[in-house]
C-alpha cells in the first residue's frame, strides 16, 4: 500500500444488506472516514434540533429524507480534511438525483470512485438479519443478536456505549424500506453498473466470505483484517 493510493468507495444495496458492517471494517483498516448518511441523520434526530425533528418525521415513516437536505449534509461532510485520502459512502446516493449531484461533487474535488460495491442478499435473508440487528448509540458499531452479539448484553464491545435496536428495524418497517428501495434506489444501481469499477457482492452467506471477496478486489492479501 503506497501513500498515494486512494480509497474512494461507494457501498450500495438494499436496507440491511450489510453495507454498514463492511464499510465500517474497511474504513478502520484503511484509516478513512466511514460516512453513513443514516448514522448522520440519527445523530441529528438525537440532537433534538429543529432540523433533527424534521428529519425524524421521515425516518419514522421509513421514507427518504428530501434530496436537497441530503446533499447539504453530504457536501459539508466532504469539506472536512479527513476525506483527502479516501472515504466510504454508505447509504448515499439513494435516488438518481442524489447520484447525479454526487458525481458533480466528486468531479469538483478532482476525485473518482475507486470502488463501487453493490452488496445484496435475498429479502428473507435480510429480514432475518435485520430484526436481530442492534447498534451502538455512541460509535455506530453494528451487532447481530444471533451470530455476533456484544460480549456483554446491551453494551458496546468497542466503546462501552449503549447498544439498542433501531426503531425502523421491525418487520413492517423493513418491508416499507424495501418498497422505497425498489422504487427510488434500484435505478441508482443500474446507473452505476456501467462504471468500470462496479462490483456485485453477495452478502447472504458468512460474513468473512463476502469480506474476503471485497478485500481481494481491493487487492489486499486476505486474512489480515
Ligand atoms: P438501511 O440501509 O438499513 O436502511 P440507513 O441507516 O442507511 O439504513 O438509513 C436509515 C434511514 O435514513 C432510511 O430509511 C432513510 O429514511 C434515511 N436515509 C439515509 N440515507 C439517506 C439518503 N441518502 N437519502 C434519503 N434518506 C436517507
Ligand atoms: Zn460503541
Amino acid at each position: 500500500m503506497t501513500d498515494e493510493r486512494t480509497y474512494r468507495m461507494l457501498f450500495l444495496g438494499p436496507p440491511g444488506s450489510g453495507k454498514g458492517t463492511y464499510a465500517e471494517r474497511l474504513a478502520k483498516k484503511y484509516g478513512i472516514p466511514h460516512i453513513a448518511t443514516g448514522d448522520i441523520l440519527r445523530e441529528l434526530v438525537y440532537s433534538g434540533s429543529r432540523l433533527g425533528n424534521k428529519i425524524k418525521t421521515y425516518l419514522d415513516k421509513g421514507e427518504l429524507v428530501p434530496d436537497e437536505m441530503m446533499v447539504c449534509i453530504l457536501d459539508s461532510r466532504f469539506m472536512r480534511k479527513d476525506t483527502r485520502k479516501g472515504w466510504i459512502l454508505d447509504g448515499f446516493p439513494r435516488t438518481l438525483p442524489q447520484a447525479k449531484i454526487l458525481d458533480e461533487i466528486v468531479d469538483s474535488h478532482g476525485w473518482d470512485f475507486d470502488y463501487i460495491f453493490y452488496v445484496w442478499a435475498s429479502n428473507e435473508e435480510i429480514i432475518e438479519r435485520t430484526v436481530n440487528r442492534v447498534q451502538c448509540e455512541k460509535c455506530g458499531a453494528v451487532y447481530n443478536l444471533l451470530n455476533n452479539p456484544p460480549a456483554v448484553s446491551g453494551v458496546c464491545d468497542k466503546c462501552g456505549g449503549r447498544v439498542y435496536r433501531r426503531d425502523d428495524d421491525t418487520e413492517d418497517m423493513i418491508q416499507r424500506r424495501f418498497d422505497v428501495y425498489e422504487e427510488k434506489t434500484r435505478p441508482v444501481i443500474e446507473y452505476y453498473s456501467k462504471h468500470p469499477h462496479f462490483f456485485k457482492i453477495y452478502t447472504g452467506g458468512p460474513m468473512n466470505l463476502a469480506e474476503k471477496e471485497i478485500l481481494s478486489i481491493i487487492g489486499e492479501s486476505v486474512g489480515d483484517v
Side-chain angles (χ1 to χ4, degrees), residues 79-93:
M79 297 309 280
R80 281 169 48 185
K81 278 211 190 102
D82 63 350
T83 55
R84 257 186 245 151
K85 183 177 148 200
W87 32 261
I88 303 184
L89 259 188
D90 156 19
F92 192 100

Side-chain angles (χ1 to χ4, degrees), residues 15 19 37 42 59 63 65 91 94 98 133 166 177:
K19 299 186 294 287
T37 47
R42 280 185 290 277
L59 297 201
E63 311 243 316
V65 172
R94 260 179 156 94
Q98 287 183 10
R133 167 163 84 173
R166 278 168 45 179
R177 282 152 61 208

Side-chain angles (χ1 to χ4, degrees), residues 36-221:
T37 47
D39 288 345
I40 296 177
L41 294 172
R42 280 185 290 277
E43 272 163 33
L44 286 166
V45 170
Y46 191 69
S47 76
S49 67
R50 267 176 58 171
L51 175 63
N53 291 340
K54 178 92 190 120
I55 288 171
K56 186 171 187 307
T57 62
Y58 298 100
L59 297 201
D60 284 350
K61 287 185 284 189
E63 311 243 316
L64 295 185
V65 172
D67 289 340
E68 314 80 68
M69 240 184 236
M70 291 311 303
V71 169
C72 279
I73 290 172
L74 190 76
D75 216 10
S76 57
R77 181 62 187 82
F78 268 149
M79 297 309 280
R80 281 169 48 185
K81 278 211 190 102
D82 63 350
T83 55
R84 257 186 245 151
K85 183 177 148 200
W87 32 261
I88 303 184
L89 259 188
D90 156 19
F92 192 100
R94 260 179 156 94
T95 65
L96 263 189
Q98 287 183 10
K100 290 182 178 159
I101 294 173
L102 176 64
D103 285 354
E104 284 173 24
I105 298 176
V106 164
D107 265 356
S108 74
H109 286 271
W111 296 335
D112 190 7
F113 301 110
D114 297 310
Y115 305 98
I116 300 177
F117 292 111
Y118 165 44
V119 299
W120 72 281
S122 73
N123 288 10
E124 295 71 38
E125 285 161 335
I126 289 177
I127 288 173
E128 182 181 276
R129 188 187 295 163
T130 314
V131 295
N132 289 298
R133 167 163 84 173
V134 289
Q135 187 170 358
C136 173
E137 183 175 80
K138 214 159 128 196
C139 75
V142 175
Y143 299 90
N144 186 295
L145 297 177
L146 288 184
N147 51 33
N148 177 31
V152 179
S153 166
V155 181
C156 178
D157 293 351
K158 298 184 180 106
C159 77
R162 189 176 76 92
V163 167
Y164 76 111
R165 189 191 302 274
R166 278 168 45 179
D167 291 342
D168 61 352
D169 276 350
T170 61
E171 199 163 337
D172 279 2
M173 287 289 281
I174 294 162
Q175 202 54 57
R176 172 77 194 121
R177 282 152 61 208
F178 278 147
D179 295 344
V180 172
Y181 173 80
E182 283 305 329
E183 187 196 334
K184 302 270 171 62
T185 311
R186 181 69 70 188
V188 174
I189 312 295
E190 270 146 45
Y191 177 76
Y192 282 117
S193 65
K194 297 171 192 89
H195 193 285
H197 304 152
F198 179 89
F199 304 93
K200 183 171 174 178
I201 312 279
Y202 172 64
T203 57
M207 190 185 148
N208 55 3
L209 223 69
E211 186 164 50
K212 274 193 179 147
E213 198 182 339
I214 292 171
L215 287 175
S216 69
I217 289 169
I218 303 179
E220 288 284 328
S221 60

